[in-house]
Amino acid sequence: MMKMRIGIILLITVVMLGCGQQEETSEPPNILWITSEDNSPYLGAYGDTLADTPNLDRLAEQGTVYENAFATTPVCAPSRFTLITGLYANVMGTENMRSTFPIPEQIQFFPKYLREVGYHTTNNVKKDYNTVDQPEAWVESSDSATYKTRDPGQPFFHVRNFTTTHESRLHDPIDTLIHDPDQMPIPPYHPDTEAIKTDWAHYYDQITKMDAQVGEVLDELEASGEAENTIVFYYSDHGGVLPRSKRFMFESGLRVPLIVYFPPKYQHLAPDQDRTDRLVSFVDFPKTVLSLAGIEPPEYMHGQAFLGEYEDEPREYVQTYRGRMDERFDLVRAIRDKEFLYVRNFMPHRIYGQHLAYLWRAPSMQSWHEQYLQGNLNETQRRFFDTKPAEELYNVDSDPHSVNNLAGDPEYQEILERMRKATSDWMHQSTDLGFIPEETIDSLRGDQPLYNVVREQSLPIGEIIETAQLATRNASANLDTLAGRLDHEDGAVRFWAATGFSVADEKPAEMGEKLLNYTDDSSPAVRIAVAEALYRYGNESEALQILEQSLDLEHPFAKLRSLNTIKALDIDNLPTHISEKIKTMQETHDDQWGTDYYIRRAATSIVGE
């Protein structure tokens, strides 16, 4: 039935266009978001010959395929913050995974603006917005929410979210496989093991199942009589989901499928092409929906509408970011134009593949790690378990898997410098709050949003970002400057200054002596950063004493940072009294979602089950 209905709709569309019978309407359109989770564009519509996605492929035949659509971050909750607000999470202080920090009162979840002009707004069902909820944005948000409960003639905005392709599906037992593991296109960074091939096949199976669910939603829309009145978006909440995709700042984690279908009566709002290479970011989605509904988007939104009455000029770059992912701290910024991906790592002394308990539940991740421990990987495959360069540059056409870093190639220096400057300008101009250590945010903000406090108290965000830049690229050449900033009045500046001593390849003895003057800094984040630097300078006893004391701190993110540091130092013979303390932390923190869970998992990675 689905194939017949889609074919009929397509035929009617072609006939109407050919006969000049298409009529524009002033009626506001219904808008349907169909969202899947954790999948890159593994669809036939994107040229994937192994994909079995007939429903999405037919939707693409009728609509517009966006070749360059991107999540703002390669994980769900901070991405969903942007999708519901139209704001960059790193600018609002909400980029770290599963944060609950508030945002300014004037910022509304965008469906509220639709409700105010008469739209029926429903969400089925996932929220996970990474901030304090605004339930009034929806008429209903539940696993039974539907547009069918609206008043006659009332336009609707409805979100239908499917978890079928979520990472957790790789954890499920496999009964049978539709796709053949031996036919899977294994990327060059993965070893060709049975577990990895099977997980790839398993994941393609899940995408096929998700496609069938999309078909059911489209069938339901047709049966309701609203297909001719509804603009349909399909997209994924970020890329994924095999190891080195979700959570990671490569094409595999950031690029998403996006298909937008316009029924004949709303063709005047549609792009004039079936496929477009226009750069589109999640931060653009809320403004675009409001624009399609004829609502002028609020000025505070960061995005650029790519459709509708208030369409903006196409963007030159997509800006993306990564903060803490579950129990592991990291900080990355990246920008993408139509040809290149530039990645700036602000914790280059941390390996890409920091052990993350949820990721390691996948058989493919376990297999990859086992191959690494056994010494069976080539250089490309082994790189995931190495520390990171400060900068990465990839040609996305010739290197879609992001394995050939061009940052050190003289031929690409002009491009590197251009994109480096664009990234720096964006961080400074947007007042990027992600450089403030997470364990210090509560004491800074009190009961206010961090966004407000930073502006009211004129915190030196520019100097914080600049110090992070000095500390994490060519750090050895900047040690004198960083040493001077250890006395700065702002704790975040001191944190990044201290971090630079761990990042720097050179370890001058006089700097090791100087670091001893800062072991009692008032900021726990600074003390932990100083401890790591001292350990790397050879003063292990002093470093371990600070790290042990930090495990007793009240703030959970200070404890978590100390655990992260102990894990990263890869200490062969951790003193028994520290191991016992970590074991106690493991036993006394809940095995539930939230910070307690992260502490438990970080502790387990050090002392074992």
Side-chain angles (χ1 to χ4, degrees):
M1 288 298 294
M2 178 63 196
K3 183 174 182 179
M4 182 180 297
R5 286 171 180 156
I6 291 288
I8 291 171
I9 292 173
L10 181 58
L11 178 61
I12 292 171
T13 301
V14 171
V15 170
M16 291 180 68
L17 288 172
C19 298
Q21 295 177 356
Q22 179 184 0
E23 291 187 12
E24 294 185 10
T25 178
S26 60
E27 297 175 359
N30 302 324
I31 300 173
L32 171 62
W33 273 8
I34 304 174
T35 308
S36 57
E37 298 196 33
D38 299 10
N39 62 282
S40 300
Y42 302 132
L43 311 176
Y46 281 84
D48 192 322
T49 57
L50 286 177
D52 183 13
T53 51
N55 295 297
L56 285 168
D57 295 348
R58 282 190 287 271
L59 186 69
E61 289 172 4
Q62 303 172 69
T64 297
V65 174
Y66 285 80
E67 299 279 6
N68 285 322
F70 295 88
T72 44
T73 188
V75 76
C76 54
S79 281
R80 289 173 180 273
F81 172 86
T82 295
L83 285 166
I84 201 65
T85 63
L87 301 170
Y88 291 112
N90 63 315
V91 176
M92 305 308 297
T94 58
E95 73 170 309
N96 293 306
M97 184 63 171
R98 299 263 151 69
S99 85
T100 55
F101 295 127
I103 55 178
E105 291 182 359
Q106 70 270 24
I107 295 171
Q108 303 295 321
F109 289 2
F110 84 88
K112 187 174 181 182
Y113 297 112
L114 294 167
R115 284 197 74 179
E116 289 174 350
V117 299
Y119 269 78
H120 184 268
T121 61
T122 48
N123 178 54
N124 187 338
V125 59
K126 188 170 182 175
K127 290 184 172 181
D128 203 13
Y129 297 140
N130 224 46
T131 188
V132 179
D133 195 12
Q134 297 180 16
E136 66 277 8
W138 305 104
V139 173
E140 183 180 358
S141 179
S142 72
D143 59 5
S144 60
T146 173
Y147 54 85
K148 297 177 182 179
T149 57
R150 73 195 190 285
D151 294 332
Q154 184 181 15
F156 68 78
F157 172 65
H158 180 63
V159 179
R160 187 71 174 91
N161 185 86
F162 292 113
T163 61
T164 311
T165 51
H166 187 266
E167 176 182 18
S168 57
R169 296 303 184 264
L170 291 183
H171 309 161
D172 297 338
I174 304 173
D175 296 325
T176 59
L177 286 170
I178 302 169
H179 290 83
D180 182 354
D182 290 329
Q183 297 300 313
M184 290 296 101
I186 306 303
Y189 49 82
H190 279 169
D192 190 12
T193 69
E194 288 302 315
I196 286 176
K197 291 190 294 184
T198 298
D199 268 8
W200 272 105
H202 186 186
Y203 197 63
Y204 268 78
D205 286 2
Q206 294 304 121
I207 291 173
T208 298
K209 293 175 183 177
M210 176 270 292
D211 179 81
Q213 293 174 311
V214 171
E216 292 172 1
V217 171
L218 295 175
D219 277 349
E220 183 181 72
L221 184 68
E222 175 70 15
S224 73
E226 290 298 332
E228 64 183 21
N229 302 316
T230 304
I231 298 171
V232 178
F233 286 62
Y234 162 73
Y235 64 93
S236 169
D237 65 349
H238 52 77
V241 70
L242 275 288
R244 195 189 175 269
S245 55
K246 179 178 180 177
R247 303 181 186 90
F248 296 96
M249 299 286 278
F250 303 111
E251 292 286 286
S252 55
L254 293 166
R255 184 167 172 250
V256 299
L258 172 62
I259 300 168
V260 184
Y261 164 74
F262 290 81
K265 69 191 296 183
Y266 292 109
Q267 279 295 313
H268 61 286
L269 296 173
D272 59 0
Q273 52 196 143
D274 297 334
R275 307 184 79 87
T276 176
D277 67 351
R278 178 172 182 162
L279 291 166
V280 172
S281 167
F282 277 0
V283 77
D284 303 330
F285 281 33
K287 284 189 73 173
T288 298
V289 169
L290 295 180
S291 178
L292 288 170
I295 302 170
E296 184 174 7
E299 292 184 1
Y300 66 71
M301 285 186 172
H302 295 150
Q304 296 171 236
F306 55 91
L307 294 166
E309 181 179 346
Y310 298 96
E311 181 178 353
D312 294 306
E313 290 296 315
R315 56 172 59 249
E316 182 179 6
Y317 299 109
V318 166
Q319 292 91 357
T320 63
Y321 43 86
R322 169 183 171 156
R324 176 183 51 75
M325 299 287 183
D326 293 350
E327 70 263 34
R328 295 301 174 207
F329 288 101
D330 205 344
L331 192 75
V332 188
R333 298 292 180 260
I335 63 168
R336 166 75 146 77
D337 64 13
K338 291 182 180 180
E339 297 181 84
F340 293 93
L341 171 68
Y342 169 82
V343 181
R344 178 66 164 90
N345 292 303
F346 287 95
M347 292 188 175
H349 56 313
R350 296 287 183 263
I351 66 172
Y352 292 101
Q354 295 185 76
H355 186 278
L356 201 151
Y358 201 73
L359 173 59
W360 253 253
R361 290 178 64 181
S364 49
M365 187 64 250
Q366 296 171 31
S367 175
W368 192 4
H369 192 207
E370 288 168 2
Q371 292 296 304
Y372 168 73
L373 294 175
Q374 294 168 12
N376 295 332
L377 303 180
N378 62 36
E379 191 276 333
T380 299
Q381 297 161 353
R382 188 171 59 247
R383 199 179 301 155
F384 185 69
F385 302 97
D386 291 340
T387 55
K388 304 182 287 289
E391 295 179 300
E392 301 173 68
L393 181 69
Y394 301 103
N395 184 316
V396 296
D397 289 329
S398 62
D399 183 21
H401 296 296
S402 306
V403 296
N404 182 24
N405 184 8
L406 302 172
D409 190 329
E411 183 179 344
Y412 293 91
Q413 287 311 292
E414 184 176 342
I415 295 168
L416 178 72
E417 291 170 7
R418 168 176 62 83
M419 299 188 81
R420 176 194 297 154
K421 182 179 185 301
T423 303
S424 180
D425 288 349
W426 176 64
M427 293 187 304
H428 283 275
Q429 292 167 8
S430 65
T431 312
D432 190 330
L433 303 185
F435 291 86
I436 299 174
E438 192 171 12
E439 60 267 49
T440 68
I441 290 176
D442 283 328
S443 61
L444 280 174
R445 71 176 187 85
D447 59 357
Q448 298 185 66
L450 180 63
Y451 180 90
N452 292 351
V453 171
V454 165
R455 286 153 178 79
E456 291 169 3
Q457 298 184 9
S458 299
L459 293 182
I461 292 296
E463 197 168 0
I464 293 170
I465 295 172
E466 181 201 20
T467 306
Q469 292 172 311
L470 293 172
T472 55
R473 187 173 74 87
N474 298 329
S476 294
N478 300 321
L479 288 179
D480 286 338
T481 300
L482 296 173
R485 295 191 183 185
L486 289 171
D487 292 310
H488 198 282
E489 64 181 1
D490 183 83
V493 171
R494 300 196 304 275
F495 167 79
W496 285 107
T499 298
F501 290 88
S502 289
V503 174
D505 293 327
E506 298 179 11
K507 300 288 190 288
E510 66 272 17
M511 290 299 179
E513 291 297 320
K514 185 175 180 62
L515 285 168
L516 288 170
N517 297 322
Y518 301 95
T519 58
D520 59 351
D521 191 281
S522 61
S523 167
V526 177
R527 293 198 300 274
I528 294 169
V530 167
E532 179 171 359
L534 285 171
Y535 192 94
R536 295 182 185 277
Y537 269 76
N539 195 336
E540 298 177 5
S541 60
E542 184 72 27
L544 289 174
Q545 182 179 345
I546 298 169
L547 292 172
E548 181 183 9
Q549 292 169 351
S550 300
L551 296 175
D552 294 324
L553 292 171
E554 182 177 353
H555 201 289
F557 286 120
K559 294 179 181 179
L560 188 61
R561 191 177 298 277
S562 185
L563 290 168
N564 269 249
T565 302
I566 292 169
K567 177 67 175 178
L569 290 172
D570 195 22
I571 301 167
D572 290 332
N573 295 299
L574 190 64
T576 302
H577 57 95
I578 297 180
S579 295
E580 290 176 349
K581 181 172 289 189
I582 294 173
K583 185 71 174 177
T584 300
M585 294 174 71
Q586 176 195 37
E587 295 169 350
T588 56
H589 286 78
D590 294 336
D591 192 10
Q592 301 292 330
W593 286 113
T595 311
D596 260 18
Y597 187 31
Y598 299 151
I599 290 173
R600 178 184 174 86
R601 293 197 296 190
T604 299
S605 73
I606 297 170
V607 298
E609 294 290 351

